[in-house]
Amino acid sequence: SYVLTQPPSVSVAPGQTARITCGGNNIGSKSVHWYQQKPGQAPVLVVYDDSDRPSGIPERFSGSNSGNTATLTISRVEAGDEADYYCQVWDSSSDLYVVFGGGTKLTVL
Amino acid sequence: QVQLQESGPGLVKPSQTLSLTCTVSGGSISSGSYYWSWIRQPAGKGLEWIGRIYTSGSTNYNPSLKSRVTISVDTSKNQFSLKLSSVTAADTAVYYCARVRMGNFDYWGQGTLVTVSS
């Protein structure tokens, strides 16, 4: 089945830019979605279809997807952005359908 | 604003069946071309998709759980449900229900912790 690989952790200072990657075989041919999950809370969709933002999500959150890597970029990082981030694709070519990455813990230094 | 709320027992004995219900408010479960899904997360671990259902009753399940999972829908109550049979400690997790929109999960319930223990 399809596998999505994320770094376990990313650290960034406030005000800097955080980049969280999501690797997968030819992931550029799929639509990638990103979720933010804070402790004790449900995940929240922050980017869908590679680079679109749901209503209410700050413009600081952006996404890109090409080749074998999708990237979630968080500009001007704030303390409140500290959370786990998950990428997800819909794999219609397999019976699994939904694949999540293992998650990345973003730490704001 | 669509809201989802999980409900069901927080403790299930090994070998028994886990049963949860998700109640949808703020809109009809039958409106729009949405699937409705269950996702779980063991403590300290990542997200695992369990399955999805359309309001027609059409379902798809995670192959690793397929033999034990049943997802159903009751449009009259604006609810969909999860049954997971023959549970073990490995099924202990927070269970989320969510709406599926164009391949992503745009609305989630708050989650409910289910512990499998005797």
Side-chain angles (χ1 to χ4, degrees):
Chain A
S1 61
Y2 197 73
V3 176
L4 295 175
T5 301
Q6 297 182 238
S9 63
V10 168
S11 299
V12 64
Q16 299 303 302
T17 297
R19 294 179 179 85
I20 299 172
T21 59
C22 178
N25 184 34
N26 197 26
I27 195 174
S29 67
K30 302 180 184 297
S31 289
V32 179
H33 318 293
W34 291 92
Y35 303 86
Q36 176 194 69
Q37 186 180 34
K38 296 182 179 179
Q41 298 183 19
V44 172
L45 181 68
V46 293
V47 167
Y48 67 94
D49 292 348
D50 298 340
S51 58
D52 291 332
R53 278 185 315 277
S55 173
I57 301 301
E59 292 183 6
R60 301 186 297 105
F61 289 81
S62 63
S64 62
N65 184 17
S66 179
N68 293 319
T69 304
T71 303
L72 173 70
T73 301
I74 309 171
S75 304
R76 302 181 300 282
V77 166
E78 304 172 355
D81 298 330
E82 187 163 288
D84 293 326
Y85 291 85
Y86 295 90
C87 58
Q88 176 249 317
V89 299
W90 195 272
D91 183 24
S92 58
S93 66
S94 80
D95 288 342
L96 181 54
Y97 287 96
V98 176
V99 182
F100 285 102
T104 298
K105 168 67 175 178
L106 175 66
T107 299
V108 181
L109 301 171
Chain B
Q1 176 88 353
V2 174
Q3 293 184 312
L4 295 87
Q5 178 68 58
E6 305 89 350
S7 60
L11 180 63
V12 182
K13 289 181 167 52
S15 79
Q16 293 190 343
T17 297
L18 177 161
S19 296
L20 295 174
T21 296
C22 182
T23 300
V24 179
S25 59
S28 170
I29 199 171
S30 300
S31 65
S33 299
Y34 301 115
Y35 280 83
W36 303 87
S37 205
W38 288 96
I39 296 155
R40 70 180 183 179
Q41 184 174 36
K45 297 190 177 180
L47 301 165
E48 180 181 32
W49 178 70
I50 299 171
R52 68 173 184 174
I53 189 165
Y54 195 61
T55 49
S56 65
S58 171
T59 55
N60 300 102
Y61 300 129
N62 185 325
S64 69
L65 299 169
K66 189 174 184 178
S67 64
R68 299 193 292 130
V69 172
T70 302
I71 297 176
S72 58
V73 64
D74 186 338
T75 55
S76 67
K77 294 182 178 179
N78 234 32
Q79 295 176 335
F80 63 106
S81 299
L82 167 70
K83 290 189 185 299
L84 180 66
S85 64
S86 305
V87 298
T88 69
D91 295 310
T92 294
V94 174
Y95 285 75
Y96 296 100
C97 58
R99 189 178 81 168
V100 186
R101 172 195 163 279
M102 300 292 287
N104 63 72
F105 303 97
D106 62 345
Y107 287 98
W108 295 66
Q110 66 185 28
T112 187
L113 174 63
V114 178
T115 302
V116 179
S117 175
S118 56

